[in-house]
Amino acid sequence: MAGQIKKMIDQIIDIRSNGNENIKSTTKTKLILKGINVDNYNASSPDDPAIIQKLNDLAKDLGITL
């Protein structure tokens, strides 16, 4: 199922930021520092199990349930 990574990234950013643009930017930066460049993924990007695991781990660290 292509696009799962993009969906997970969007969920993490939306839940964490809760509409606050500053937190949204900070969360994107945190993802980049963890090795996930949010601009590289879109709805048709293939799903990479390693990236999905990184996102799950990051969400868990942030207290977010995906």
Side-chain angles (χ1 to χ4, degrees), residues 15-62:
I15 292 169
R16 178 116 165 105
S17 69
N18 199 23
N20 185 324
E21 289 298 319
N22 290 330
I23 296 174
K24 186 180 238 185
S25 177
T26 303
T27 304
K28 285 182 180 181
T29 302
K30 182 174 281 213
L31 287 166
I32 291 169
L33 290 172
K34 295 287 185 176
I36 302 167
N37 188 344
V38 298
D39 295 330
N40 289 345
Y41 298 98
N42 58 39
S44 62
S45 297
D47 293 331
D48 180 356
I51 300 297
I52 291 172
Q53 186 60 47
K54 276 186 181 182
L55 288 169
N56 281 324
D57 292 344
L58 178 62
K60 185 177 177 181
D61 289 345
L62 295 174

Side-chain angles (χ1 to χ4, degrees), residues 8-16 27 55 59 62 64 66:
M8 292 174 75
I9 289 170
D10 290 344
Q11 284 179 323
I12 290 170
I13 291 171
D14 290 341
I15 292 169
R16 178 116 165 105
T27 304
L55 288 169
L62 295 174
I64 297 172
L66 297 178

